Amino acid sequence: MRLGMSAQGVSSVSADQRRCRLKKPFSPPTVTLKEIHDAVPKHLLKKDPIKAAAYVARDITFTLLLFKLASLIGPWADTDFSGFVTSGWNKALLKTALWCSYYWIQGMVWAGIFCLGHDAGHGTLFEDNRINNVVGFVLHTWLLIPYYAWRSTHHAHHKATASMERDENYVPYLRSEYDLPSEKKATQFDYAEVFEETPIWTFARMFIMQGFGWWVYLTKNTMGSKMYPPGTNHFDPHSPLFKPEQRNSIIISNIALTAMLSAMAYAGPNLVLKYYLVPYLVCVLSVAPELSFMFTYLHHSDPTIPHYRKAEWSFLRGAAATVDRPLLGWCGRFFFHNISHDHVAHHFFIKAPFYNGPQITKAIKTVLKDDYNYDSTPTWYALYRSFTQCLFVEEEGNIIFYKNRHGVAARELARGAMKKIHESGWNGDVQDSSIEFPKLD
């Protein structure tokens, strides 16, 4: 199977691509970064500061306009909606519908604001990184994100995606962390004792992860790199997450968050709850692709996608171990600035502007072919599937897949594939030789 020549062909093939991955034993990609970079026209990597500024202005304008419209809901309801709705329950229903619409749309706009801050952190909005950092700092502080702390560990994630030793996000739990017997000795009773639970409790845990997972990660480094000691967090300037020269910026992020929380306290609980907190929770629980755990979790946690230990990891293999998902269709593209639709391209071209993501994705698919990962599964079902099937990995093996509650992996390595690849002279450094990872400024 080859992905994507015509738009219609891409769509029909992509819908079944995950099922094809399940049926096909895995063989890691052997193409080189040079081949991928050569396939992408260089003009797609150039920044357009005017276009970037327009997107920032657009999302800020949407936020202010929605604030204004929301402030008119109460007074409009007091006039019986200009005399058109006079029945008590009809008024209550319409008023509730208008507030829910505000919460949902504002939540999507703020998810887009997160994405713009994310891109500023990568230095892809403006040529001057001082401007990028000011914009990212302001946008992320508005969303209570410690911009400089997040930026540091997020860059580390990009440098080591899918590496069991060095990745900073969504590092799988090991068999030993659940105190399970060895694979040869474990019985179904052993797995059931650890993983068996009611569907209600599963959904409750999913809700907890969605609502609080971001803050648990920031404060406890949960599902972060295992090379850090207990107590590691994103707020301590002396945390091992950061280099000494980054400590002052971590302090600045902490001060900014304190100022934002103080401003919210000054505004009072009524205003904060009505205009800020609910859309913020919508952003966290339902929309935001990284402020929420949902969508970045799904980009990097799928039973068909491998993780690597150092003997087999390369930057290219890690970047290819990512899944594109068409979140909310055209609406997701519009509000979320391509972050979910073109996440694979983002990992291969960290410095490329988001608005060129669709063209870059189209170009790299011609090189990656079957190694390009796409999944159009409805998001909430995909979340449930990954949450219940991506439970742990084995201590052994250099290319590993998640196992489910029965101790079974959905995919396995193709027999003889690794021997053939190594006999051909595969070398991770050679595979990655065309790239120099950008430094933080």
Side-chain angles (χ1 to χ4, degrees):
M1 180 177 64
R2 290 291 181 265
L3 294 180
M5 296 303 142
S6 69
Q8 184 175 0
V10 170
S11 177
S12 61
V13 169
S14 295
D16 295 326
Q17 203 234 25
R18 184 179 184 277
R19 286 192 289 270
C20 292
R21 289 201 301 272
L22 283 170
K23 294 177 181 178
K24 181 180 178 181
F26 177 75
S27 182
T30 56
V31 299
T32 66
L33 275 174
K34 185 178 187 308
E35 292 176 285
I36 291 176
H37 279 230
D38 288 347
V40 175
K42 298 301 178 280
H43 73 271
L44 295 178
L45 308 181
K46 294 182 179 179
K47 305 165 194 173
D48 185 338
I50 295 176
K51 183 178 288 188
Y55 277 110
V56 173
R58 185 200 79 173
D59 284 3
I60 292 175
T61 300
F62 281 168
T63 293
L64 297 176
L65 178 61
L66 287 164
F67 276 149
K68 178 61 178 177
L69 292 175
S71 72
L72 299 176
I73 294 175
W76 194 26
D78 292 339
T79 67
D80 293 334
F81 294 102
S82 301
F84 288 103
V85 183
T86 57
S87 171
W89 73 268
N90 284 333
K91 281 179 59 178
L93 183 63
L94 179 56
K95 187 175 180 180
T96 299
L98 290 173
W99 275 112
C100 288
S101 298
Y102 163 73
Y103 296 145
W104 176 251
I105 299 172
Q106 190 74 288
M108 290 197 292
V109 172
W110 290 357
I113 284 177
F114 164 80
C115 295
L116 291 175
H118 160 273
D119 290 334
H122 283 303
T124 62
L125 295 184
F126 304 98
E127 295 293 345
D128 190 334
N129 266 339
R130 291 173 296 184
I131 300 176
N132 281 314
N133 284 331
V134 169
V135 170
F137 177 76
V138 171
L139 296 181
H140 274 193
T141 299
W142 171 254
L143 296 174
L144 298 176
I145 298 171
Y147 171 74
Y148 287 108
W150 163 84
R151 187 181 72 137
S152 174
T153 55
H154 185 67
H155 273 247
H157 158 66
H158 273 275
K159 289 181 180 180
T161 305
S163 166
M164 285 296 296
E165 294 88 2
R166 299 189 299 117
D167 199 351
E168 293 283 352
N169 303 129
Y170 308 113
V171 180
Y173 290 110
L174 300 172
R175 173 183 288 270
S176 60
E177 293 180 84
Y178 287 110
D179 292 325
L180 285 166
S182 68
E183 184 177 12
K184 292 181 179 179
K185 295 181 179 179
T187 66
Q188 285 304 308
F189 176 80
D190 295 317
Y191 293 119
E193 190 175 30
V194 175
F195 298 121
E196 199 69 43
E197 60 186 20
T198 64
I200 293 176
W201 178 238
T202 299
F203 282 112
R205 290 197 304 114
M206 287 170 57
F207 180 84
I208 292 170
M209 182 184 79
Q210 285 304 109
F212 304 100
W214 166 250
W215 289 102
V216 173
Y217 166 67
L218 291 179
T219 56
K220 298 183 64 177
N221 203 41
T222 300
M223 289 198 78
S225 175
K226 301 180 190 302
M227 63 183 168
Y228 301 121
T232 297
N233 68 79
H234 283 70
F235 301 102
D236 180 3
H238 297 280
S239 168
L241 293 169
F242 312 122
K243 299 175 182 177
E245 60 269 24
Q246 295 173 326
R247 289 172 182 166
N248 288 340
S249 64
I250 307 306
I251 294 172
I252 291 172
S253 288
N254 291 344
I255 293 173
L257 292 183
T258 302
M260 181 66 189
L261 291 170
S262 298
M264 292 167 66
Y266 179 79
N270 185 49
L271 284 176
V272 171
L273 178 65
K274 183 181 290 187
Y275 293 98
Y276 183 90
L277 184 60
V278 176
Y280 180 87
L281 290 175
V282 170
C283 183
V284 170
L285 289 171
S286 304
V287 186
E290 194 145 354
L291 183 55
S292 154
F293 261 29
M294 182 190 294
F295 302 116
T296 48
Y297 173 74
L298 289 178
H299 288 313
H300 301 290
S301 303
D302 187 280
T304 68
I305 302 302
H307 279 76
Y308 298 89
R309 291 194 168 95
K310 59 183 179 182
E312 293 293 344
W313 182 89
S314 70
F315 176 88
L316 184 143
R317 287 180 174 180
T322 304
V323 185
D324 279 348
R325 297 181 183 274
L327 170 62
L328 297 184
W330 70 267
C331 192
R333 279 209 182 276
F334 179 81
F335 283 106
F336 310 149
H337 307 297
N338 298 327
I339 195 67
S340 189
H341 288 70
D342 302 303
H343 204 73
V344 175
H346 173 56
H347 270 266
F348 277 108
F349 294 90
I350 187 176
K351 282 293 189 179
F354 69 86
Y355 38 81
N356 291 333
Q359 300 98 307
I360 294 173
T361 295
K362 184 177 180 180
I364 66 175
K365 283 163 66 175
T366 64
V367 180
L368 286 174
K369 297 183 171 66
D370 290 347
D371 293 318
Y372 169 75
N373 299 309
Y374 178 92
D375 186 4
S376 58
T377 302
T379 302
W380 282 99
Y381 175 70
L383 177 65
Y384 178 81
R385 182 181 62 203
S386 289
F387 200 77
T388 55
Q389 295 183 20
C390 298
L391 298 179
F392 70 96
V393 297
E394 297 293 348
E395 253 82 6
E396 302 82 22
N398 290 320
I399 301 178
I400 47 182
F401 290 88
Y402 272 114
K403 292 192 170 181
N404 62 20
R405 62 180 181 174
H406 303 295
V408 178
R411 205 171 181 194
E412 61 183 17
L413 278 172
R415 187 173 300 175
M418 299 313 300
K419 181 180 179 181
K420 184 177 179 181
I421 289 172
H422 284 286
E423 285 178 349
S424 70
W426 178 86
N427 180 287
D429 292 335
V430 173
Q431 190 174 39
D432 295 342
S433 60
S434 71
I435 191 169
E436 180 179 346
F437 200 86
K439 295 181 179 179
L440 280 175
D441 295 320

